[in-house]
Amino acid sequence: MPIHCFDQSISLPSVDENHNNTDYTLCRYDENDWIFTLLPVYILIISVLGIILNVFVLMIYWLHKTACNVAEIYLSNLAAAHLFLMSSLPFWAVNVQKRYDWNLSETLCKLVPFSISMNADCSIYILVLVSIDRYLTLVHPLTHGRMRSPFYAKLACVVVWAVCFLLNVPVLIYREVEHYPEKNVSRCFLSYSDQTDKVVSILNVILKFIIPIFIMSFCTLKIIQAVRSRLRERFSTQGKEQKATTLILAVLLAFLICWVPFHVFKILDLLSRYNIVGGCEFRLGWFQQIFIFLAFFNSVLNPILYVCVGRNFRRKVKETFSQISNRRKSTFSLLTTCANLSRSVKTENATS
């Protein structure tokens, strides 16, 4: 039975007992591997940055005087998924630092991977919604205009959260802690059979990579064609939509850069387990370990893109801080007026 770090089927080379000794000798890693020292520090850094930056994004959308439009509803849900994901990573940083010796409760063994996997899935499918929204806006602006309302955007987000929750229920059911007395360690792993694990891995690749990438790629190509067509026609009446589209394309590109390497190695690992391609399955597992945390850096990168690329977001930031400043000034003015009135009343009472 293979032991897994994540729901994404990342094998632990130190405890996987289904491989022959030859493979283990060829692919063995040093016990003092740098992955156990540098990776936890990296995870903690991106966790802190991700929490701060995504809280900032959510506060701007929440405090701004105007309601969110359709694109902003999707981006705020994306920030929420990133925030929950980043909040769960410190637990896994501790687990990596302890060489995957799980010292926490079995409840956390279920909840932490569930939160990581579910919110990663939510971020992927919310990006699918974002790309579909941009596609409808630019390619079919008239025929599907009614579908682009805040109500339908919120409903779509609720459906995505619900579906991603259901997809990850098996993590809550099959995650468990098992103690290995001969090594004096406890592992948090998915208790699938080897055959079930392979089926789940194939479904994960299809549902969490191939289908979303196909939809996003199709929509992105159509969006780029529509933008070029409008530029050729000098159609500038949709300047606001153009700015939003630039931000969305940057977010989609960042997603591809961060997530594709992990899924490529995951597919190679799956093909290796079926003996379709040769290679070291342990080494592929470690590459997955590294690239999954590169993928999580996407949660830090998106808020930075909002500020650097999103003109509308920068405007909202300025307006929000202006609102807060004006409220403070009005509150201070009110307190000063009350204090002056109180002094004048006391003075009149004293003189009378």
Side-chain angles (χ1 to χ4, degrees):
M1 182 182 296
I3 311 301
H4 301 287
C5 297
F6 288 100
D7 184 38
Q8 292 92 337
S9 302
I10 302 174
S11 298
L12 286 176
S14 58
V15 294
D16 194 339
E17 297 173 355
N18 286 342
H19 302 278
N20 58 53
N21 293 330
T22 305
D23 287 341
Y24 182 81
T25 303
L26 290 173
C27 305
R28 186 169 181 170
Y29 281 78
D30 196 307
E31 287 296 321
N32 298 315
D33 201 297
W34 57 269
I35 201 168
F36 298 116
T37 53
L38 294 183
L39 196 54
V41 175
Y42 167 77
I43 297 171
L44 288 175
I45 290 172
I46 65 170
S47 297
V48 172
L49 289 175
I51 290 169
I52 293 171
L53 292 173
N54 285 289
V55 165
F56 173 74
V57 170
L58 289 171
M59 291 297 289
I60 294 300
Y61 284 135
W62 181 52
L63 293 174
H64 195 265
K65 58 186 176 183
T66 59
C68 291
N69 58 34
V70 172
E72 289 167 346
I73 289 170
Y74 291 137
L75 292 179
S76 60
N77 275 269
L78 183 62
H82 287 325
L83 177 60
F84 294 137
L85 173 59
M86 292 292 102
S87 301
S88 304
L89 285 186
F91 294 98
W92 213 264
V94 174
N95 191 36
V96 175
Q97 191 271 332
K98 293 181 178 295
R99 289 173 168 76
Y100 301 103
D101 183 10
W102 188 263
N103 294 322
L104 304 174
S105 66
E106 185 162 322
T107 301
L108 284 176
C109 171
K110 293 176 180 290
L111 291 178
V112 172
F114 171 80
S115 176
I116 293 172
S117 182
M118 174 187 163
N119 287 292
D121 294 347
C122 282
S123 66
I124 292 169
Y125 276 98
I126 290 171
L127 281 174
V128 171
L129 293 179
V130 168
S131 60
I132 293 173
D133 173 67
R134 288 296 95 190
Y135 170 76
L136 294 177
T137 302
L138 295 172
V139 182
H140 301 287
L142 299 177
T143 54
H144 296 87
R146 292 183 180 179
M147 294 178 62
R148 292 197 67 255
S149 68
F151 171 77
Y152 285 114
K154 292 174 183 176
L155 182 62
C157 289
V158 169
V159 171
V160 164
W161 284 97
V163 170
C164 291
F165 178 88
L166 293 175
L167 283 175
N168 287 281
V169 166
V171 179
L172 293 175
I173 297 172
Y174 292 102
R175 275 275 172 184
E176 60 184 51
V177 177
E178 185 167 330
H179 184 68
Y180 295 84
E182 67 279 5
K183 296 181 180 180
N184 195 28
V185 295
S186 297
R187 304 292 184 187
C188 174
F189 72 103
L190 279 166
S191 58
Y192 293 149
S193 66
D194 189 51
Q195 189 60 36
T196 302
D197 175 66
K198 289 178 180 178
V199 172
V200 170
S201 297
I202 293 171
L203 289 175
N204 282 338
V205 168
I206 294 171
L207 295 176
K208 301 179 183 182
F209 180 63
I210 294 175
I211 292 176
I213 287 293
F214 175 79
I215 295 173
M216 286 189 278
S217 299
F218 172 80
C219 292
T220 301
L221 288 174
K222 292 295 183 180
I223 290 167
I224 292 172
Q225 290 174 2
V227 169
R228 286 178 176 176
S229 175
R230 292 190 177 199
L231 288 175
R232 282 197 299 267
E233 297 170 5
R234 297 186 179 182
F235 186 73
S236 59
T237 58
Q238 298 289 337
K240 189 175 180 181
E241 293 292 352
Q242 190 78 21
K243 294 172 185 177
T245 300
T246 302
L247 174 60
I248 272 55
L249 290 175
V251 169
L252 290 173
L253 179 62
F255 167 80
L256 292 175
I257 292 171
C258 291
W259 278 96
V260 166
F262 164 72
H263 284 290
V264 167
F265 279 102
K266 183 176 178 180
I267 291 170
L268 289 174
D269 177 61
L270 190 59
L271 294 175
S272 174
R273 289 160 67 186
Y274 276 104
N275 296 318
I276 297 174
V277 298
C280 173
E281 188 175 326
F282 294 108
R283 195 177 299 276
L284 291 171
W286 281 119
F287 276 122
Q288 287 185 75
Q289 289 272 36
I290 295 168
F291 283 115
I292 186 62
F293 292 109
L294 170 64
F296 290 156
F297 182 72
N298 185 237
S299 300
V300 177
L301 192 56
N302 277 353
I304 297 173
L305 289 175
Y306 297 162
V307 175
C308 295
V309 182
R311 294 181 183 179
N312 290 333
F313 184 79
R314 288 201 301 271
R315 177 181 55 79
K316 281 204 166 192
V317 171
K318 292 177 182 178
E319 291 175 356
T320 301
F321 279 108
S322 178
Q323 282 177 234
I324 295 171
S325 177
N326 291 336
R327 284 177 186 173
R328 286 181 177 177
K329 287 179 181 178
S330 62
T331 303
F332 179 76
S333 177
L334 180 63
L335 291 173
T336 303
T337 304
C338 291
N340 291 334
L341 286 172
S342 178
R343 287 195 201 98
S344 62
V345 169
K346 288 180 181 178
T347 303
E348 288 178 3
N349 291 336
T351 54
S352 63

